[in-house]
Amino acid sequence: ASHQIATRRGLPKEKMSENGIMSRAKVLTIDTMNPTVKKVEYAVRGPIVQRAVELERELSEGMKKPFAEVIKANIGDAHAMGQQPITFFRQVLALCSYPELLSDSTFPEDAKSRACRILQSCGGNSMGSYSASQGIDSVRQDVARYIERRDGGVACDPDNIYLTTGASDGIVTMLKLLVCGEGTTRTGVMIPIPQYPLYSAALAELGAVQINYFLNEEKCWSLDITELQRAVNEARQYCNPRALCIINPGNPTGQVQSRQCIEDVIRFAAKERLFLMADEVYQDNVYAEGCQFHSFKKVLFEMGPEYAETVELASFHSTSKCYMGECGFRGGYMEIINMDDEVKDQLTKLLSVRLCPPVPGQALMDLVVNPPQPGEPSYGSFIKERTATLSALAEKAKLTEQVLNTVQGISCNPVQGAMYSFPRITIPEKAVKEATETGQQPDMFYCMKMLEETGICLVPGSGFGQKDGTYHFRMTILPPTDKLKILLNKVKEFHQRFTQQYS
């Protein structure tokens, strides 16, 4: 009878196990799970990365491969690529984690005093306690002072600062507040193409409408206002565009926006009544001559009250990038400007459901925005380490562009900022046909072949979005210089071999 009822209702049938016990059908199956989750894709940890992990295991088990190691250049994980942590940051975090070390004479006095200040802001003087949902008050105050210094004195209210679990947490939280409506009233969110897949994944999960605007590859991935206008005009026919996301410096494209471009974007957002979301996690990663980071907030306030008092803006920063590279601590913040007071209350409520961001990440964020100052014992070593890290990244950005542009069939724009290059690759028609026949995107086919033959793990451009008929890959510039040279030469040799094979 139960079989008949299940069949009539279209439910999975129960099964009889070998020992005669009736096994119940799963409550949660691929057919009964949340359908929006199935639409989520995240290329930087997708199938190619899973295969890279398998290859690493096979190498460790002694299996013979045409390479000795897998080089993962798929994700901006600085420390995994060998970048060294900033000594002062780790000293303070060690002291905060194990306060008994405060009596150890090997730690500098400024690290000890900073640790004491952080611990005094924690419940029970312990990083193991919850903090306020918005984050530790003293850390938010330090973030506000940092923003004021960065932006040349533009005022910052600590009450507008929300500490987050990396920048990603803040971005997804803001999207949750923005998404509403059904059908043609459903919220549309404008994102750059190529984009960082967090955006497309979050929009898919939330059931929002993704509105693509294309960056101009021919002009070093610049942002064109006429393209924004095209995208929003077309989108209004099938959704309600409410937000515009900007990534500056760009990921995966590495461009740095000019001040004029930022002004134009702010005017566009004001005209079209769009909420601005500025992803600025790479703000210290600017390498190209003539390029400079301008925060959206600074430009907004310099444009006068017409914009400064009306345009709604959320900007995001993180401990995971720049010279820190402390991805695992999941530290970050967002600043909100011109948000409706009642919505702000709802934001605080939403954050309180998750109790608080990781307290070690909050402590690290405090150190990033308030590092050692001139005259303090740790200042010299801090500046030396910070400068060395950023200088090395600048050299590797230039090296990557130069080497890739020597390869016929690969074209790489200058890596002006961030941590990635996103070169265009020419894939022969024969390879495109074979990829299509195997159900793969041509650049996925290309990157998977490269992984199997060279051990180099890159991410196909199709995972970030690209104009139809163009193919790319994203690679980080993070490996140590000697390993980066090996990686680039292997890419060069593979591309030549691949082109010859499929010509």
Side-chain angles (χ1 to χ4, degrees), residues 167-206:
S168 304
D169 174 50
I171 291 165
V172 173
T173 299
M174 285 309 309
L175 290 173
K176 283 181 180 177
L177 291 175
L178 282 157
V179 174
C180 65
E182 296 294 337
T184 56
T185 67
R186 191 67 172 159
T187 291
V189 179
M190 302 181 72
I191 65 172
I193 298 296
Q195 54 106 22
Y196 176 51
L198 162 70
Y199 292 92
S200 55
L203 295 176
E205 184 181 351
L206 295 169

Side-chain angles (χ1 to χ4, degrees), residues 275-331:
F275 191 109
L276 263 177
M277 295 177 62
D279 181 339
E280 299 175 332
V281 302
Y282 297 100
Q283 57 190 257
D284 288 325
N285 297 107
V286 177
Y287 318 120
E289 199 172 325
C291 290
Q292 181 183 346
F293 171 75
H294 301 276
S295 80
F296 266 78
K297 184 197 176 179
K298 181 175 189 284
V299 176
L300 175 66
F301 275 76
E302 289 175 349
M303 290 172 68
E306 179 187 355
Y307 298 100
E309 295 177 7
T310 60
V311 174
E312 295 154 86
L313 169 70
S315 56
F316 308 90
H317 195 18
S318 168
T319 63
S320 300
K321 309 302 176 184
C322 300
Y323 63 93
M324 302 85 70
E326 295 280 15
C327 302
F329 280 97
R330 310 308 300 131

Side-chain angles (χ1 to χ4, degrees), residues 207-225:
V209 179
Q210 177 179 317
I211 305 169
N212 296 337
Y213 66 89
F214 290 89
L215 301 176
N216 190 334
E217 184 172 11
E218 282 66 38
K219 294 184 179 178
C220 204
W221 298 113
S222 62
L223 193 162
D224 189 340
I225 298 301

Side-chain angles (χ1 to χ4, degrees), residues 401-471:
E401 176 200 347
Q402 288 173 343
V403 173
L404 290 177
N405 279 328
T406 66
V407 187
Q408 188 173 358
I410 297 182
S411 173
C412 183
N413 270 318
V415 182
Q416 296 177 333
M419 298 175 169
Y420 317 95
S421 64
F422 196 70
R424 184 189 290 197
I425 51 176
T426 301
I427 299 181
E429 279 302 315
K430 190 176 172 184
V432 171
K433 185 172 182 291
E434 187 172 326
T436 306
E437 288 170 353
T438 58
Q440 292 186 80
Q441 292 283 354
D443 48 11
M444 170 62 89
F445 177 79
Y446 175 96
C447 288
M448 195 64 85
K449 277 216 170 262
M450 186 188 296
L451 175 63
E452 296 287 354
E453 292 182 23
T454 68
I456 293 170
C457 180
L458 308 178
V459 190
S462 49
F464 300 88
Q466 56 197 348
K467 282 191 173 178
D468 288 344
T470 69
Y471 306 110

Side-chain angles (χ1 to χ4, degrees), residues 464-484:
F464 300 88
Q466 56 197 348
K467 282 191 173 178
D468 288 344
T470 69
Y471 306 110
H472 302 78
F473 61 75
R474 187 191 82 161
M475 61 166 282
T476 72
I477 61 169
L478 289 171
T481 303
D482 55 345
K483 192 169 281 191
L484 181 63

